[in-house]
Amino acid sequence: MYKIFIKPLFDFIASLIGLIILSPIFIFVVILLCIANNGKPFFFQLRPGKNSKVFKIVKFKTMNDKRDASGNLLSDAARLTKIGIFVRKTSLDEMPQLWNVLKGDMSLIGPRPLLTNYVHLYSDFQNRRHEVKPGITGLAQVNGRNAISWDEKFRYDVQYVDSISFVLDFKIFFKTILKVINSDGISATNEATIEPFNGK
């Protein structure tokens, strides 16, 4: 009952209310990022959703598009803007994904949607994360986020798939708030962003 009916309804209502209440912050961040990123405040990317169906995720753009003399993008650390660092630290970069939740591509809580080029690298166990809609936050995010290993992330993702309930979502939601306040696990150790998944 909860997984099929209540959770999707709650996602729709909560994302709609969230977009309305947070709209002043949303507009302010858009203006700052437009200035920092030459008029490009949003980052769009294809991600696999439920049953690996691909959708376009939207986030605030925290890195610029600066390139070296050969035309190659600079490293993630070099392209992170000052406002981008702040937006990431406060997790505001995830705010536009409320639109993805409203559209039904995502849920507020579920396994984080990863890159499409990872899908063919997953084991059968790891691929089970796609049995449910991806989420803005999830069990892996409140247990280390980007500071834990890929193996741990997948274990938490599948654990969530097997244990979805109102109580679990409620706990993850409030643990997420604490994580955001404390800025826990935003980056992998000594890295600006998480290291790529290589299938191991």
Side-chain angles (χ1 to χ4, degrees), residues 94-162:
E94 311 290 356
M95 189 189 302
Q97 289 168 59
L98 288 172
W99 173 247
N100 289 118
V101 176
L102 190 66
K103 288 173 58 184
D105 296 325
M106 294 177 62
S107 176
L108 290 176
I109 298 169
R112 284 293 299 157
L114 301 176
L115 300 179
T116 54
N117 58 349
Y118 290 170
V119 175
H120 75 284
L121 300 174
Y122 295 152
S123 66
D124 290 341
F125 175 80
Q126 293 166 343
N127 197 51
R128 290 198 59 216
R129 68 192 315 279
H130 293 132
E131 292 178 10
V132 297
K133 287 182 181 179
I136 294 178
T137 185
L139 195 58
Q141 281 59 54
V142 298
N143 283 285
R145 201 173 176 178
N146 290 337
I148 60 176
S149 69
W150 281 107
D151 186 53
E152 290 174 296
K153 283 188 180 72
F154 289 126
R155 285 206 308 269
Y156 281 124
D157 289 344
V158 176
Q159 180 182 336
Y160 178 78
V161 169
D162 290 333

Side-chain angles (χ1 to χ4, degrees), residues 43-49 54-57 113-117:
F43 170 78
F44 299 94
Q45 191 173 54
L46 296 178
R47 299 285 178 95
V54 176
F55 70 98
K56 185 178 290 186
I57 197 172
L114 301 176
L115 300 179
T116 54
N117 58 349

Side-chain angles (χ1 to χ4, degrees), residues 26-197:
F26 193 98
I27 294 171
F28 181 66
V29 173
V30 166
I31 293 172
L32 292 179
L33 289 176
C34 274
I35 296 172
N37 298 325
N38 297 317
K40 299 177 181 178
F42 298 109
F43 170 78
F44 299 94
Q45 191 173 54
L46 296 178
R47 299 285 178 95
K50 184 177 180 181
N51 299 321
S52 298
K53 181 180 179 181
V54 176
F55 70 98
K56 185 178 290 186
I57 197 172
V58 55
K59 301 176 69 173
F60 279 134
K61 188 177 176 68
T62 57
M63 294 186 287
N64 58 39
D65 298 318
K66 290 183 178 180
R67 299 173 182 269
D68 60 23
S70 301
N72 300 311
L73 284 173
L74 298 178
S75 67
D76 290 347
R79 293 188 296 117
L80 268 174
T81 61
K82 290 182 178 180
I83 180 61
I85 292 173
F86 171 77
V87 168
R88 278 196 181 193
K89 187 174 182 180
T90 55
S91 293
L92 289 173
D93 59 320
E94 311 290 356
M95 189 189 302
Q97 289 168 59
L98 288 172
W99 173 247
N100 289 118
V101 176
L102 190 66
K103 288 173 58 184
D105 296 325
M106 294 177 62
S107 176
L108 290 176
I109 298 169
R112 284 293 299 157
L114 301 176
L115 300 179
T116 54
N117 58 349
Y118 290 170
V119 175
H120 75 284
L121 300 174
Y122 295 152
S123 66
D124 290 341
F125 175 80
Q126 293 166 343
N127 197 51
R128 290 198 59 216
R129 68 192 315 279
H130 293 132
E131 292 178 10
V132 297
K133 287 182 181 179
I136 294 178
T137 185
L139 195 58
Q141 281 59 54
V142 298
N143 283 285
R145 201 173 176 178
N146 290 337
I148 60 176
S149 69
W150 281 107
D151 186 53
E152 290 174 296
K153 283 188 180 72
F154 289 126
R155 285 206 308 269
Y156 281 124
D157 289 344
V158 176
Q159 180 182 336
Y160 178 78
V161 169
D162 290 333
S163 310
I164 292 179
S165 69
F166 171 77
V167 173
L168 180 58
D169 280 359
F170 185 82
K171 289 180 179 178
I172 292 173
F173 178 78
F174 282 99
K175 282 185 178 180
T176 297
I177 294 176
L178 294 177
K179 289 286 183 180
V180 170
I181 292 173
N182 295 323
S183 299
D184 284 344
I186 297 219
S187 300
T189 305
N190 300 320
E191 298 288 343
T193 54
I194 187 172
E195 63 176 301
F197 176 62

